[in-house]
Amino acid sequence: MKDKVKARSVPFSQTRSRHASETAEDYVEAVMELIEEKGECRVLDLARYFNVSHVTVSRIVKRLHDEKLLISSPYKPVRLTDAGAKLAKRAKERHAIVLDFLIALGVDKANAEIDSEGIEHYVGSKTLTAMKRFLKSQK
Amino acid sequence: MKDKVKARSVPFSQTRSRHASETAEDYVEAVMELIEEKGECRVLDLARYFNVSHVTVSRIVKRLHDEKLLISSPYKPVRLTDAGAKLAKRAKERHAIVLDFLIALGVDKANAEIDSEGIEHYVGSKTLTAMKRFLKSQK
DNA sequence: CATCATCCGTAGCCATTGCTACATTTGTTT
DNA sequence: AAACAAATGTAGCAATGGCTACGGATGATG
Ligand SMILES: [Mn+2]
Ligand SMILES: [Mn+2]
Ligand SMILES: [Mn+2]
Ligand SMILES: [Mn+2]
């Protein structure tokens, strides 16, 4: 009479793993956007962007530098490595699809922007494909 | 020439706040399910359910007890307070809607289960309404 | 070139969520 | 009742992401 309870450990493990990538994805995406929009990305730009202190940004930038996603030297603007730019491009595309999808579903822009900022990180490739299919069918 | 960069701090603040509720929502939901499915909910049941060590569960149960969502005394099964049961009910309903929605969108069950486990926590009331509307229209 | 505001780094705090190792309690089996 | 196995608790570590306070670096202004 074992295993009466469904094994739900897989979804949770997967969610925890996605959780761990969330910050990296948001940061490289932000760096790419800030560089596009104002030419460079400073630590304080990121702090304002995320609404956190510059200290939080500074530490995370250091870690993403160690992970070879960002290029940073003291008092210099932050840039993207090739790997960082690749990740940023993927993250931006996925984020845009989720945002467009929510709007196509009938969610107002403000709420779609809020919800997509969280949802984007937990959308797998199958779900992303389904969202793209929906967007195409609506067009 | 200020404010050239869009204020994106609101979505991120909101996402961080939702982040903080995620564990509580998952735990009360799990406790409710485990009690329904096998009559009681032990620390080890939760550990297996979430695929984490019993130590992690034990500490989180203690915190949710302090937050008056769970009832727990040493070596006893975990139960829900009224507040916990209310939260669990809401979380289960929302989770079920997100899961059904993904399936209706064309995502296979396994992936819908994985993705809904993360997505559920970042779906606001407007998006949830839109998902319900979609489900109704498909029926 | 001196001053000053801004930017950024560092020190050190807290909370959360993972873990292993070990101790204790509980309940079952001799 | 003793012994044992299983469940739970406790101690203590690490990584992550928040924060304030403070100090050094940088660049603009005078
Ligand atoms: Mn994003
Ligand atoms: Mn995001
Ligand atoms: Mn759930
Ligand atoms: Mn969940």
Side-chain angles (χ1 to χ4, degrees), chain A residues 15-132:
Chain A
T15 298
R16 273 197 302 279
S17 149
R18 287 169 174 176
H19 217 31
S21 326
E22 194 169 338
T23 304
E25 290 168 357
D26 281 340
Y27 269 69
V28 294
E29 193 185 337
V31 171
M32 181 169 275
E33 284 195 12
L34 285 162
I35 290 176
E36 277 173 10
E37 293 180 16
K38 53 170 289 188
E40 67 173 17
C41 171
R42 315 289 321 202
V43 167
L44 272 189
D45 294 325
L46 289 167
R48 279 186 284 259
Y49 188 95
F50 290 119
N51 196 28
V52 296
S53 76
H54 79 277
V55 182
T56 297
V57 170
S58 191
R59 190 165 6 80
I60 292 173
V61 164
K62 193 178 297 169
R63 199 188 74 232
L64 298 179
H65 174 87
D66 293 345
E67 291 175 9
K68 308 208 186 305
L69 292 172
L70 297 181
I71 302 168
S72 74
S73 43
Y75 301 98
K76 290 277 184 62
V78 178
R79 284 172 305 145
L80 293 162
T81 63
D82 287 351
K86 263 183 71 173
L87 179 59
K89 191 163 156 286
R90 266 186 293 142
K92 280 188 74 168
E93 282 168 5
R94 192 189 52 185
H95 192 154
I97 289 162
V98 174
L99 176 63
D100 292 348
F101 173 79
L102 290 180
I103 290 171
L105 197 65
V107 180
D108 63 290
K109 193 160 171 272
N111 277 289
E113 273 170 359
I114 291 171
D115 291 3
S116 66
E117 193 55 71
I119 291 173
E120 56 164 344
H121 309 283
Y122 302 92
V123 164
S125 65
K126 292 285 163 41
T127 298
L128 197 65
T129 299
M131 287 180 173
K132 283 192 266 192

Side-chain angles (χ1 to χ4, degrees), chain B residues 46-115:
Chain B
L46 289 166
R48 280 187 284 260
Y49 189 96
F50 291 119
N51 196 29
V52 296
S53 75
H54 78 279
V55 183
T56 297
V57 170
S58 188
R59 190 165 4 79
I60 291 172
V61 164
K62 194 178 299 171
R63 200 190 71 233
L64 298 179
H65 173 87
D66 292 345
E67 292 175 10
K68 307 208 185 307
L69 292 172
L70 297 181
I71 302 167
S72 75
S73 43
Y75 300 97
K76 290 277 184 63
V78 178
R79 285 172 303 145
L80 291 163
T81 62
D82 287 352
K86 262 182 74 174
L87 178 59
K89 192 164 158 286
R90 266 187 291 141
K92 280 188 76 167
E93 281 168 5
R94 192 189 53 185
H95 192 152
I97 290 163
V98 173
L99 175 63
D100 292 348
F101 172 78
L102 290 180
I103 290 171
L105 198 65
V107 180
D108 63 289
K109 193 160 169 271
N111 277 289
E113 273 171 0
I114 292 171
D115 291 3

Side-chain angles (χ1 to χ4, degrees), chain B residues 13-58:
Chain B
S13 299
Q14 188 66 48
T15 298
R16 273 197 302 279
S17 149
R18 287 169 173 176
H19 223 42
S21 326
E22 194 168 337
T23 303
E25 290 168 357
D26 281 340
Y27 270 68
V28 294
E29 193 185 337
V31 171
M32 181 168 276
E33 285 196 12
L34 286 162
I35 290 177
E36 278 173 10
E37 292 180 17
K38 54 170 286 188
E40 67 174 16
C41 172
R42 315 289 318 203
V43 167
L44 272 188
D45 295 325
L46 289 166
R48 280 187 284 260
Y49 189 96
F50 291 119
N51 196 29
V52 296
S53 75
H54 78 279
V55 183
T56 297
V57 170
S58 188

